[in-house]
Amino acid sequence: MIVQSIQFENFRNIEKASLVFEPGLNVLVGENAQGKTNALEGIYLFAQGRSFRTSKEKEFIGPCQEYAYAKLCFRDQTSHKNSEMRFLKNGKKVVRREGIPERKMSAFLGAFRAVLFCPEHLSIVKAGPAERRRFLNEAMAQISSGAIGALQRYNSILAQRNKLIASYYENKKTVQDTISFWNEQLAEEAAYLSGKREAYVTELSRYAKEIFHDMTNGQEEPAFHYNGARNKEEFIKLWEESFEKDVRIGTTTRGIHKDDVLVLLNGKEARAYASQGQQRSLALAMKLAEAEISRTKTGENPVMLFDDILSELDEKRKQYVLAGIKDRQVILTTCEEKVLAEVTTKKLTNKPTDRQACRATRNGQEKENVMIINVKNGRYEPCMYT
C-alpha cells in the first residue's frame, strides 16, 4: 500500500496544495502549527473515515470557506486507485471511490489502509478502557467491514435501549414489555463483535509479544487478554441481571461498550505496576503489531503515519523504530532538526535486529530516497534526499 499523492482545498490552514510522496520514507518538517499534522490527518481520514483529532468535521473547513476537500491517490498490489472526500458547511459529507459516490462509510473504508502512531497512543496502556476499545475499533475497521457494520448497529440499538431505560419511571409497562426485544437485538451484534475482538486480541498478543521480546531482548513477558467475549445467550442474561442497576443509573452499564483489553507484564497489570518506560514499550509493540496484522490479513503493508512520535521516544525505542521501517512507506512529521538528521542520514546507533532484518529481506523493498517536505503556513515545499 503506497500513497502517491494527496490534494487539499480549504482543508484547515491549507488553501490549496498537492503533496507527492516517495514509496519509502517521507518527512514533513516545520515548526508547530504550520500544517504537518493537518496533512497526516487528511491522509488518515481515508483509512478511518473520521479524524483522530476531532469529532467535528466542520473544523476541517478553512476560515471563510464553504467546503473542505481532499483527494488521495494510492496504489495497492493490483492497481492505482483514488478516493475523495468533500465536507460542506451544512454538515454534509460526500465521499467517492474512483469518482463514484459511496452512500455508506462501511463500503468506503478498507480500500486504503494506514496505521497511525501519535504521542497520545503512548498512553494506550496507562489510560482507561475507552482508549483500548478505540484502539481495537480503529485497527479492526480497516480489515473487517463486518465489524464496522456490526459496531454501527450495536451503537444504534444501544442508544434505543438507553432511551427506553431512561423513560422507565414514566413508562414502566412499555419498558417491561419491550426490553427483551432490545436485549436480543443488542446481544446479536454484541456476540458477533466480541468474537471478532477476541480473535483480534489473540493475534495482537502473538505479534506484540514477539515485537516486545525483540525490543527488550526477551527480558520481560507481556500478555494481552480480551475480557468481553460472550455468546448471544450470555449477553441476554447479562442485561437481564443488570436491568435494575441500569434503571437506577439510567443507562446500560454492561456490554462491549464497557469491555477492555487487559495488558499484563510479568503476570501483573501493566497499567498499575509497569513503569512509564515499560508502558511505552508495550504501547509501541501494540501499534507495530497492528501493522503486522494488517499485513498478514491483506497481503501488503499498511502506510505508517508517525505524528511527531520519534521525539517522544527515548533513544533505544527510537532506534528500534527507525531500524524496522525500511520495508514500509512511512510518512512522519517532526519539528526537531535532530530527528530529521537521524532519519535522512540513516546513521542508526542500533542495527536492525535479526527479526527486522529477516522481515526486510522477505519483503524485498529496500528504499534509497527520502522525501523531505518543508512545511510553513499550510504550504509544502518538497526536496529529495538521496
Side-chain angles (χ1 to χ4, degrees), residues 374-385:
N374 294 299
V375 184
K376 188 174 182 180
N377 295 327
R379 293 179 172 83
Y380 303 85
E381 297 180 1
C383 62
M384 187 73 75
Y385 185 96

Side-chain angles (χ1 to χ4, degrees), residues 176-191:
Q176 291 169 346
D177 289 345
T178 58
I179 192 67
S180 60
F181 169 80
W182 293 111
N183 287 350
E184 184 170 348
Q185 295 293 308
L186 199 58
E188 187 80 35
E189 306 301 340

Side-chain angles (χ1 to χ4, degrees), residues 128-154:
E131 286 303 309
R132 288 181 288 281
R133 287 195 299 272
R134 180 178 178 180
F135 164 78
L136 281 182
N137 291 339
E138 291 183 355
M140 292 171 61
Q142 299 186 54
I143 59 175
S144 176
S145 59
I148 302 172
L151 183 61
Q152 291 172 339
R153 291 190 296 273
Y154 178 89

Side-chain angles (χ1 to χ4, degrees), residues 1-8 17-23 42-43 46 69-76 79-85 96-99 108 111-113 303 329 331:
M1 185 71 60
I2 300 294
V3 174
Q4 296 170 304
S5 65
I6 187 165
Q7 300 172 31
F8 292 112
S18 180
L19 286 73
V20 178
F21 299 100
E22 280 290 299
I43 295 171
F46 290 92
Y69 171 81
K71 180 178 181 179
L72 186 77
C73 295
F74 60 100
R75 62 177 171 85
D76 58 18
S79 62
H80 296 264
K81 300 179 178 181
N82 69 79
S83 297
E84 301 169 72
M85 285 188 174
R96 291 185 173 88
R97 286 176 58 181
E98 310 304 323
F108 180 79
F112 173 70
R113 293 175 296 279
V303 176
Q329 186 186 39
I331 304 173

